[in-house]
Amino acid sequence: EVQLQASGGGLVQAGGSLRLSCKASGFTFADYAIGWFRQAPGKEREGVSCISTDDSSTYYADSVKDRFTISSDNANNTVYLQMNSLKPEDTAVYYCAQGLKISLLYRGCQPLEFDYWGQGTLVTVSS
């Protein structure tokens, strides 16, 4: 059974940092892409950052480039999202999800291309 467990969310002041973790199980980790997505109240879910776990190709939304860093620990089946210089507009529930590497390559870090989802972790950035 594919499982993804996101953790690390919390309340932080603007300018602060958080590190999210996505622990995966039930599949061969290096065969898939893992993405981080977020959904703010009243907004659609959007891609934040994705990684192809075998070659570490990474993708970032323009809104988080130079502030967020995605990384993969293949030995522990875990993907991290280091979030620095957080802004109030980063406030959302953050989800991690598993998708096909070829979909990531040709269609980008899009929620519809990812099939299995974790439960989400809330990030709140106060001004």
Side-chain angles (χ1 to χ4, degrees), residues 71-88:
S71 61
S72 176
D73 178 354
N74 288 14
N76 291 296
N77 290 3
T78 302
V79 170
Y80 300 100
L81 185 68
Q82 178 66 43
M83 306 187 296
N84 298 329
S85 302
L86 283 160
K87 304 175 181 180

Side-chain angles (χ1 to χ4, degrees), residues 56-68:
S56 295
S57 299
T58 57
Y59 301 78
Y60 293 95
D62 288 342
S63 59
V64 306
K65 279 180 183 176
D66 301 323
R67 297 191 299 124
F68 291 10

